Amino acid sequence: MKIIVTGYKGQLGTEIIKQLRAGKSEIGPIPEKLLNATVIAVDLPELDISNYKAVDDYIRRFKPDVIINCAAYTNVDGCEVNHDAAYKANALGPRNLAQAAEKMGARLVHVSTDYVFSGRENGGIPQDEACLPDPISAYGSTKLMGEKYVARFCHRHFIVRTAWLYSYYGKNFVKTIVNAGKKFGKLEVVNDQLGNPTNAVDLAHEILQLCVTHEYGLYHCTGEGICSWYDFASEIIRLAGVDATVAPCTSAEYKAKHPDSADRPHWSALDNRALRCSVGNEVRPWQEALACFFEHWDGDNGMK
């Protein structure tokens, strides 16, 4: 089997490559079909997925069985300012990959986000794959357009929505909170936005389980359990053993201090219903996955 991983330098791409090379994750083994896979990892500047011809030529040249698209413009505030760039990376890029995959008969795994939802719905019920998206930011709207293109142009697709992703590698909320706690000793974090912290290990593990099947469609894949950013930050500080305090604030208070920031969903908790009902949901409770992260994180950009 031949697999192309786009955006491999990011948090998820790095973790997927690691699991493919190791043949396992912290959760368990990867599928047997992937143990001897040929893995082609690509990122900017070698391949710009928003360039239709470049993508078409690249996929024709390597003829993959599976494409896992981890490439995206994920700076939520940046997407508001650079809407064209966000559209190119988050919408046109997936479209180009979908069309190229369809020509080759390849399977396409496309990673999307909880930000396709408005977050204005009833806050008591996690949103499953049957819930209708209604994004309130440029990031969410461009990612939703990418989903639509993938579903339209590639029959063998897996669209996998995730949320609040963190990893041993790259920049993320966990590392930001640890570093800010050490530097300032006191943090304010919003407590009226709720969702699901997700360890990249769990997401990568589930993607690799899915990509060898024919159970195509839309999936949610996030850490089990719901919390606020404040709850998440408090647990990060506790597990890191940092001498710092975390105080709650509202989204309105944060917006007043950061007027250029994009609107975020207040309720974007997802339910992994499609995973449970098909290949199985092995994603860990978010507290367990976060504790495991701190057991293995080297404090910088990798593992002990």
Side-chain angles (χ1 to χ4, degrees):
M1 182 173 283
K2 188 182 293 183
I3 301 172
I4 289 178
V5 180
T6 61
Y8 83 93
K9 295 177 184 176
Q11 296 189 87
L12 179 59
T14 301
E15 181 61 39
I16 286 173
I17 297 297
K18 186 182 79 172
Q19 291 186 18
L20 284 168
R21 288 175 177 164
K24 62 180 181 180
S25 74
E26 293 168 9
I27 297 174
I30 67 172
E32 189 173 344
K33 290 180 181 178
L34 299 176
L35 292 179
N36 296 309
T38 299
V39 181
I40 302 161
V42 66
D43 209 317
L44 290 169
E46 184 181 356
L47 178 64
D48 177 358
I49 64 167
S50 71
N51 184 317
Y52 176 86
K53 187 176 186 306
V55 170
D56 192 59
D57 289 347
Y58 194 88
I59 301 305
R60 284 179 183 274
R61 177 162 35 120
F62 288 104
K63 298 180 173 58
D65 300 291
V66 177
I67 303 167
I68 302 176
N69 180 35
C70 302
Y73 189 163
T74 59
N75 183 329
V76 178
D77 294 335
C79 287
E80 298 294 322
V81 180
N82 302 299
H83 205 146
D84 281 6
Y87 192 86
K88 287 171 69 175
N90 296 339
L92 294 186
R95 181 203 66 181
N96 297 340
L97 289 168
Q99 290 179 309
E102 184 71 10
K103 290 176 184 177
M104 289 293 106
R107 301 170 192 175
L108 173 62
V109 181
H110 174 62
V111 181
S112 193
T113 174
D114 59 322
Y115 279 37
V116 300
F117 293 107
S118 71
R120 300 188 181 108
E121 292 81 5
N122 172 17
I125 304 172
Q127 295 159 115
D128 68 10
E129 294 81 359
C131 292
L132 296 178
D134 181 23
I136 58 174
S137 66
Y139 174 61
S141 64
T142 55
K143 289 295 288 184
L144 179 59
M145 196 70 236
E147 289 187 10
K148 291 180 177 180
Y149 279 141
V150 167
R152 169 66 180 83
F153 292 118
C154 181
H155 290 92
R156 301 172 183 84
H157 71 261
F158 305 90
I159 296 168
V160 183
R161 292 177 182 150
T162 194
W164 300 19
L165 191 68
Y166 64 93
S167 163
Y168 300 115
Y169 315 100
K171 297 178 181 178
N172 55 63
F173 183 77
V174 175
K175 295 180 182 181
T176 297
I177 290 297
V178 170
N179 292 333
K182 291 177 180 177
K183 183 175 181 179
F184 301 111
K186 185 176 181 180
L187 307 173
E188 280 192 348
V189 183
V190 293
N191 69 341
D192 58 357
Q193 296 174 20
L194 287 86
N196 320 90
T198 307
N199 190 322
V201 169
D202 299 56
L203 177 59
H205 178 86
E206 292 295 338
I207 284 173
L208 295 180
Q209 304 303 312
L210 275 174
C211 77
V212 297
T213 75
H214 296 289
E215 300 204 38
Y216 306 118
L218 175 63
Y219 291 85
H220 289 173
C221 185
T222 62
E224 288 294 323
I226 301 165
C227 68
S228 69
W229 286 110
Y230 164 75
D231 298 326
F232 189 20
S234 298
E235 185 67 358
I236 291 166
I237 290 296
R238 186 187 74 82
L239 289 169
V242 174
D243 185 15
T245 60
V246 184
C249 69
T250 66
S251 297
E253 290 169 338
Y254 182 87
K255 185 78 170 179
K257 294 178 181 178
H258 306 86
D260 294 331
S261 62
D263 291 334
R264 265 79 166 172
H266 281 270
W267 176 262
S268 62
L270 303 184
D271 180 13
N272 301 343
R273 190 182 305 279
L275 279 175
R276 286 199 308 276
C277 294
S278 57
V279 298
N281 178 26
E282 297 181 73
V283 179
R284 298 169 290 183
W286 73 264
Q287 300 95 327
E288 178 185 330
L290 184 62
C292 188
F293 171 87
F294 277 104
E295 286 177 17
H296 299 294
W297 182 40
D298 66 6
D300 185 20
N301 196 43
M303 299 180 69
K304 295 175 183 175

